[in-house]
Amino acid sequence: MSDSILNIIQWKKIVYFVFILFLFKFCFLYGYGFETTLSFFDLGLLSLSSIFFLASGYLTRFLFRTPQKKTNLSLQKVKKVSIYLMLIGILIGVLLSFKIDKIHYSLIFIICPILVYLYSTNNTKKSFFSNIVTSFLKPFAIITLWWFDSPVNLSKEQWDLLYYLQLITIIYAIISFLSNIVLGIITDIININEDNFNKQNTLPIVLGRKRAKNIALMLSIIVFVFVLSIAIACMENKFILKTIIFLGTLPELYFIYRLMNASELKDYKKLYATGKVLLFLALLSIPIIAYYFKYVIS
């Protein structure tokens, strides 16, 4: 039974989520020797608390989206496990707040699970809104990390550097948010028959597959224009310009081309895999840009 419950939780997404936190911590905070609020051990506690919250959230969503007759699992057991995971997450978060002498942060670890529960109970069907919410989680977590782990005792030069690093972080957050929405739409197009059978309210079902594809295409073009604008703004810096073009602009242009020509299920499945590669290339650019700022500019 426990194995079945564990299979409900999307562990790959959780691991990816934690990896992003440590990547930004290592590249944009630790890598520059900033004195920050959180040590790597503290970040581990924050990540552990987030893991329990996310796992509890997946189980809670399963509870409210799955009728008893459509699963062999005991929903009562799923509910208990979800509550236990949530309480453990709160406990770890509160302990972290006391450890770093930020006791008021405890409210965050108490309010977050309440919001997850309210969201799950009021969104019992998949929809475009749920796609937006889940797409917002990773960018929100990255920005929250900066707030939790803000550098202290900085010189004027370090403040200037921190400004650019935070600007880069915001850019990554925006690109991640829009790209995840696009991938969510593509996923819904792939699963349109199953979602229609389960009476979900995804974008392809509400507006049709063609309109959903056009919305995904529009958002992809917005991402492309946004990344291209950044490349143009960095024309004088050849290294940053090349990094953005080869890891951002050209891959996004290729994705748009594939999306425009997608028509069959196999096309969308290949497109989804391509989108994952694009996200990997975006992640790859993080340590490259961080290295450049640290060893070339500074």
Side-chain angles (χ1 to χ4, degrees):
M1 180 65 69
S2 59
D3 290 338
S4 298
I5 291 178
L6 290 176
N7 288 337
I8 299 172
I9 302 169
Q10 299 183 27
W11 294 108
K12 289 183 180 180
K13 290 185 178 181
I14 293 179
V15 171
Y16 176 75
F17 173 84
V18 173
F19 173 74
I20 292 293
L21 294 183
F22 274 90
L23 183 65
F24 271 86
K25 166 75 172 178
F26 183 82
C27 293
F28 288 160
L29 292 172
Y30 175 80
Y32 290 91
F34 290 138
E35 179 185 349
T36 60
T37 304
L38 302 180
S39 64
F40 272 100
F41 178 76
D42 296 331
L43 180 58
L45 291 178
L46 177 62
S47 300
L48 195 59
S49 178
S50 301
I51 288 172
F52 283 112
F53 284 150
L54 290 172
S56 176
Y58 282 123
L59 293 178
T60 303
R61 185 179 66 177
F62 177 84
L63 278 172
F64 290 99
R65 288 186 179 179
T66 308
Q68 181 74 56
K69 62 182 180 180
K70 290 188 177 182
T71 178
N72 295 322
L73 285 172
S74 168
L75 296 185
Q76 190 63 30
K77 289 187 177 181
V78 175
K79 181 178 181 180
K80 287 182 179 179
V81 174
S82 177
I83 292 174
Y84 290 150
L85 292 176
M86 179 187 68
L87 292 177
I88 294 173
I90 292 175
L91 178 60
I92 295 174
V94 171
L95 289 176
L96 173 62
S97 301
F98 277 88
K99 183 179 183 301
I100 63 177
D101 294 324
K102 301 285 186 180
I103 301 175
H104 57 284
Y105 282 7
S106 300
L107 294 175
I108 299 173
F109 296 101
I110 295 173
I111 293 174
C112 282
I114 295 175
L115 293 177
V116 170
Y117 179 81
L118 292 176
Y119 168 77
S120 299
T121 55
N122 289 282
N123 293 273
T124 57
K125 294 183 180 295
K126 291 170 61 177
S127 65
F128 184 55
F129 176 72
S130 63
N131 183 7
I132 293 176
V133 172
T134 53
S135 299
F136 180 71
L137 286 178
K138 294 185 188 73
F140 176 75
I142 295 171
I143 295 174
T144 302
L145 176 62
W146 277 100
W147 177 55
F148 258 87
D149 206 21
S150 297
V152 295
N153 302 322
L154 300 181
S155 64
K156 183 181 181 304
E157 292 75 14
Q158 288 177 317
W159 275 114
D160 293 337
L161 177 60
L162 182 64
Y163 168 78
Y164 286 109
L165 294 178
Q166 288 178 329
L167 183 61
I168 292 172
T169 302
I170 292 173
I171 291 172
Y172 273 108
I174 294 173
I175 294 174
S176 174
F177 174 59
L178 295 176
S179 298
N180 282 321
I181 291 178
V182 171
L183 288 181
I185 294 174
I186 293 173
T187 301
D188 290 337
I189 292 175
I190 294 172
N191 299 326
I192 187 170
N193 292 330
E194 179 183 348
D195 289 337
N196 188 42
F197 177 79
N198 293 320
K199 299 180 180 180
Q200 304 295 345
N201 295 322
T202 61
L203 199 64
I205 293 175
V206 175
L207 298 180
R209 190 168 71 170
K210 184 176 181 180
R211 290 181 179 177
K213 170 188 171 179
N214 290 337
I215 291 175
L217 181 61
M218 179 189 67
L219 292 175
S220 299
I221 293 174
I222 291 174
V223 172
F224 172 75
V225 172
F226 183 63
V227 175
L228 181 62
S229 300
I230 298 171
I232 294 174
C234 298
M235 287 289 289
E236 296 181 0
N237 192 315
K238 301 300 181 183
F239 181 86
I240 299 295
L241 176 63
K242 291 177 181 178
T243 301
I244 294 174
I245 289 177
F246 288 107
L247 296 182
T249 307
L250 292 180
E252 188 65 31
L253 188 61
Y254 174 72
F255 181 85
I256 291 173
Y257 170 76
R258 292 288 299 272
L259 179 56
M260 290 176 64
N261 291 280
S263 59
E264 300 180 4
L265 180 61
K266 62 179 182 179
D267 298 329
Y268 288 105
K269 287 183 177 180
K270 291 180 181 179
L271 189 62
Y272 181 81
T274 302
K276 289 294 186 180
V277 173
L278 261 63
L279 289 178
F280 171 76
L281 292 177
L283 287 179
L284 184 63
S285 68
I286 294 174
I288 293 175
I289 292 177
Y291 175 88
Y292 180 79
F293 268 90
K294 182 177 181 179
Y295 293 104
V296 180
I297 294 182
S298 60

